[in-house]
Amino acid sequence: MALRKLVAGNWKMHGVSADLAEIAAIADASRRYLGVDVALCVPAILIERAARAAPGFAIGGQDVHHAERGAHTGCTSSQMLLDAGARLTIVGHSERRDAQRESDSDVKAKSTAALSCGLAVILCVGERLEVREQGAAVPTVLAQLDGALPERSASGAELAIAYEPVWAIGTGKIPTTAEIAEMHAAIRAKLVERYGDGGAGIRILYGGSVKGSNAAEIFAVDNVDGALVGGASLKASDFIPIVEAAAGV
Ligand code: 13P
């Protein structure tokens, strides 16, 4: 079953007021591709202005705290993201798993809380290079999913999984299409095991060095239902060709 593709940009720690015009340009250009869902996940402090600069366009956060409120200095709740105008959030990005020592159970708590609040979730998984070299990439990613998938059942509109091999992020290296196909098929089987028929409708994005020049090849792989894009999402001129590839233009 071919799912409607989702192309989401992760701006990471990039973006100030001067970049709002770029967000508006990406939103405007994306409207031409009616068959593709497009979103930008921006720094929390930029969400409200980004949502105003791009009315009707999906703006998201890059992380969320699992608690509704409380003594959590510097953190952002799901309700705060929604209130600022976000419709979705990334959870479990490898940069946070590394730098903030987030575990699968932390990611599960975040994804469960965000979904309960009405935010859509992009849940990231992915192996390190040494794990791939040991031939353990698939079981490692499936174990991450076992630990991090939300408790409640989720539909395709609410939850997407992003497979982002850590060694492919920001490096210009990407797995072979056979490696992507193997991993995405394994993730699909896990989602169906976990959520039954609903698991067939959950989108599985690929992330890691996606560019306009390689997007069409990646999108042609079975069970690749979109992309999570870092560096190439910062400029409309780099990002829109990826959206175009998703639209099959
Ligand atoms: P790059 O597209 O810059 O490799 O980043 C991928 C990523 O981490 C998206 O979340």
Side-chain angles (χ1 to χ4, degrees):
M1 173 176 54
L3 302 177
R4 184 181 164 88
K5 288 197 170 41
L6 167 62
V7 179
N10 174 8
W11 271 32
K12 307 191 179 183
M13 202 169 72
H14 298 280
V16 293
S17 303
D19 300 301
L20 292 170
E22 199 66 37
I23 292 173
I26 287 171
D28 274 353
S30 298
R31 285 187 235 289
R32 291 202 300 270
Y33 305 98
L34 294 174
V36 181
D37 291 331
V38 184
L40 282 181
C41 296
V42 300
I45 198 165
L46 204 62
I47 290 172
E48 183 164 0
R49 282 171 291 160
R52 284 186 206 281
F57 180 75
I59 297 292
Q62 300 172 2
D63 176 50
V64 68
H65 196 278
H66 69 270
E68 277 179 38
R69 66 182 68 78
H72 304 289
T73 303
C75 297
T76 307
S77 70
S78 298
Q79 198 54 51
M80 290 171 183
L81 290 182
L82 278 170
D83 186 53
R87 294 193 207 160
L88 70 151
T89 187
I90 295 170
V91 296
H93 194 282
S94 61
E95 287 154 14
R96 293 198 59 86
R97 290 174 182 262
D98 269 0
Q100 274 73 37
R101 302 263 177 275
E102 287 184 5
S103 66
D104 288 326
S105 62
D106 294 330
V107 178
K108 178 178 187 165
K110 287 166 187 265
S111 60
T112 304
L115 288 171
S116 304
C117 244
L119 279 173
V121 166
I122 298 177
L123 192 166
C124 303
V125 291
E127 82 286 355
R128 310 180 150 281
L129 185 57
E130 59 272 21
V131 169
R132 177 152 291 275
E133 285 172 349
Q134 287 157 9
V138 169
T140 297
V141 165
L142 295 184
Q144 288 176 334
L145 286 174
D146 277 332
L149 281 172
E151 256 157 50
R152 63 198 288 288
S153 67
S155 74
E158 297 171 308
L159 178 65
I161 306 301
Y163 167 55
E164 299 204 302
V166 177
W167 50 274
I169 295 176
T171 59
K173 295 180 190 157
I174 54 168
T176 64
T177 49
E179 286 168 336
I180 297 174
E182 180 194 31
M183 184 64 80
H184 281 232
I187 294 173
R188 174 68 64 215
K190 170 65 67 185
L191 292 171
V192 169
E193 171 196 311
R194 183 68 175 256
Y195 300 119
D197 286 349
I202 293 175
R203 290 179 285 199
I204 307 173
L205 317 182
Y206 168 79
S209 298
V210 177
K211 299 188 173 28
S213 55
N214 59 23
E217 193 186 359
I218 294 169
F219 291 145
V221 176
D222 274 356
N223 289 303
V224 173
D225 309 307
L228 184 58
V229 184
S233 70
L234 295 172
K235 294 265 172 282
S237 55
D238 292 327
F239 191 52
I240 295 305
I242 299 172
V243 177
E244 216 169 84
V249 174

